[in-house]
Amino acid sequence: MIDTEWMWGEWLEPDQRLGYLHASYDSPYGKITSDWKYKKNRIVYTFEIPANMTATVRLEGCDPETLKAGSYERVVSL
């Protein structure tokens, strides 16, 4: 398992003025991606975690969640 905490540094809060954000990192295990976009009164987050890795996701108003390899979508209402 690789600790991905260092990759993103400071917490990047979604900002409605931007509309969306996409970030990726080519790790030794494969590409890690994370993005968010505003859709009406919600923020839609997507994550892709490569094989043999886990990631801890911390979203505003939600408990931290540890995800295994795969693709995920989480929706947070505003």
Side-chain angles (χ1 to χ4, degrees):
M1 178 174 75
I2 292 178
D3 178 8
T4 57
E5 182 92 20
W6 62 271
M7 287 192 313
W8 311 116
E10 293 294 318
W11 179 262
L12 298 174
E13 298 275 342
D15 188 326
Q16 200 162 7
R17 294 172 296 177
L18 295 175
Y20 71 94
L21 177 105
H22 175 83
S24 65
Y25 172 75
D26 289 318
S27 80
Y29 293 101
K31 186 177 279 190
I32 302 166
T33 64
S34 174
D35 61 46
W36 55 258
K37 61 185 167 190
Y38 278 88
K39 280 192 170 183
K40 298 185 181 181
N41 61 344
R42 304 176 301 159
I43 304 173
V44 178
Y45 296 89
T46 58
F47 312 98
E48 290 186 37
I49 304 158
N52 299 315
M53 289 189 71
T54 62
T56 300
V57 175
R58 294 175 182 90
L59 302 176
E60 182 87 24
C62 302
D63 292 332
E65 180 179 12
T66 300
L67 304 175
K68 295 181 180 180
S71 297
Y72 299 89
E73 180 177 281
R74 299 292 183 264
V75 179
V76 175
S77 296
L78 300 174

